[in-house]
Structures are given as C-alpha cells and as structure tokens.
Amino acid sequence: MAVYKVTVATGDMVEAGTNNSISITLVGSYGESRQTTVSFLFLPGKERSLSVHCRQDLGPIVLIRLHKWRLFLEDAWFCKDVRVTAPNGTLYRFPCYQWLEGVTTVEVREGSGKKLVDDKLQILKEHRRRELAARQEAYRWKNFAQGWPRCLNVDSIFELDSNIQFSCIRANNFTGFLIFQGASHFLSGFLLRRTSWNSLDEMRTIFSRTQGRDIGGCLQCCPLPFPLH
C-alpha cells in the first residue's frame, strides 16, 4: 500500500471558494490512483489536505486530474496549486491558477518546466497535444479592418473563457483608476477647457512633476489629439 499526501490550495481572491464537490486523481509513470474526493467546501485562501491510498507505487507523479461536480447550484472554484508528497518523501508541485466551472475535469502537469523533447510518456504527449488544440480554439484571430492589426475573433469579452478575461479585482482597479484620473483632470481644468493649449509647458502646469515628466515624454513620440498655437 502506497500513501500519498495531497494538499489542495484555493486562491485568495473574492469568490474563489466553492461548495461544489472536488476530487483528484494522481497520474504517475507506473499507473494512476482512483478518484478521491478532496472536499465539498473550499474557502478562499485556505488549503485542504488528504491522503490518497494506492495499491502500489505510482512512480514519479507526472500530472493530476481535478474533477469538479455540481451538487445543486453552479459555484466556480479557483484552484491555486496542488502539492503531492510521495511515500519516499519526494514533493511534486502542480501550479494551477485557473477557474474551474461547471462539471469539468482539468489536467495539470507537474511544474518542472519541461520541453516537448522531454515528454517520454505517451500520456504527456497527448496532454500537450490537447492543450495546444484548446488554445488554438480559444485564440482565433480575425481582421478588424484592412490595414489594422488582427484581433481576437469574438464579439464580446464575455465570449472568452473566464481564465482569459480580466478578474473582478483587475476590472475594479481599472474602474477606480479611471474615476480618480477623471476627477483629477476635471478639478485641474483639463476636461472642460474650451480653448487650445498655447504650449507644452502650459499643459504641464496641470499635472504633478512626475505626471508632467511622463506626459512630456509621451508627447515627444505621440501625435497630439488637439491643436497647439
């Protein structure tokens, strides 16, 4: 009997936890474990530990499978990483850092940064092939207009996978920054100015010293959207 110690970590961002069922399968060079339930409740920033019992040694652990099952209501889960300690004390790390939504199974490779030529096992070659196919499907390109750079072939960001979209934290940070900058420019007379600027030096007076240096540097290489007299 071989016993593997497994630790599953949930991300610490808002709503990263879940009350859906999460189970795990260990895949090694010599075989794989049975699917073992980790927990039915994950809290943001917390870890869950369990023991996975196998009839024989699985050999080096090359990847894991995370299975998410919806009990009643859908509740997405953000997995940070998984750590597996083998019976001989070897520690394997599996960085995940992605959302799991719906009823799904996600395969995560051991985080050793191996190249294609290092994949000796057929299961790793198949995993790399499926991962490449999935990314090619997710990142399809189209021409927005003649002479313009190509863009993603989607009509809305909401068509993208959750792991590709900006997180709620990033979106809120951007919104807060835009509100702050808009208020600053309004109070300094930048937004409601009805006449043209007379010089770059006049423009710099409405910004702080740091902002002025940055803006001045940008204006040296970017065209002005308004006239100077």
Side-chain angles (χ1 to χ4, degrees), residues 77-79 96-101 106 139 160-167 170:
W77 174 53
F78 187 88
C79 177
C96 187
Y97 296 97
Q98 61 180 302
W99 289 97
L100 277 69
E101 298 178 323
V106 174
Y139 298 102
L160 299 173
D161 183 84
S162 298
N163 294 295
I164 305 175
Q165 300 179 26
F166 275 131
S167 66
R170 286 182 178 179

Side-chain angles (χ1 to χ4, degrees), residues 66-224:
L66 293 171
H67 314 275
K68 179 177 174 295
W69 299 91
R70 183 172 58 241
L71 299 179
F72 299 103
L73 298 177
E74 163 61 16
D75 192 9
W77 174 53
F78 187 88
C79 177
K80 178 183 177 182
D81 61 22
V82 177
R83 301 184 297 277
V84 179
T85 303
N88 62 4
T90 303
L91 176 63
Y92 300 92
R93 298 179 181 273
F94 298 86
C96 187
Y97 296 97
Q98 61 180 302
W99 289 97
L100 277 69
E101 298 178 323
V103 177
T104 185
T105 295
V106 174
E107 291 185 340
V108 182
R109 292 177 61 126
E110 199 260 328
S112 55
K114 293 183 178 180
K115 302 183 294 294
L116 176 61
V117 295
D118 299 323
D119 291 342
K120 306 301 181 183
L121 299 177
Q122 186 62 32
I123 190 172
L124 292 180
K125 295 178 181 179
E126 283 296 314
H127 174 267
R128 190 182 292 272
R129 183 191 61 79
R130 291 193 300 269
E131 185 178 51
L132 177 61
R135 293 195 177 190
Q136 290 174 336
E137 176 67 21
Y139 298 102
R140 291 171 295 169
W141 300 98
K142 68 178 180 180
N143 290 322
F144 177 74
Q146 185 66 30
W148 285 64
R150 291 192 300 171
C151 60
L152 282 177
N153 188 18
V154 293
D155 296 325
S156 169
I157 61 172
F158 298 106
E159 297 180 21
L160 299 173
D161 183 84
S162 298
N163 294 295
I164 305 175
Q165 300 179 26
F166 275 131
S167 66
C168 294
I169 296 177
R170 286 182 178 179
N172 290 335
N173 287 341
F174 276 122
T175 302
F177 178 77
L178 290 176
I179 294 175
F180 173 77
Q181 288 296 325
S184 299
H185 293 165
F186 174 78
L187 294 176
S188 59
F190 179 71
L191 293 182
L192 300 182
R193 186 182 179 94
R194 297 180 180 274
T195 58
S196 301
W197 301 99
N198 296 319
S199 67
L200 293 178
D201 290 333
E202 184 182 1
M203 293 180 59
R204 293 190 180 99
T205 60
I206 68 171
F207 297 98
S208 65
R209 291 184 177 180
T210 302
Q211 290 174 322
R213 286 195 296 269
D214 294 340
I215 296 258
C218 293
L219 291 175
Q220 292 177 7
C221 57
C222 299
L224 293 174

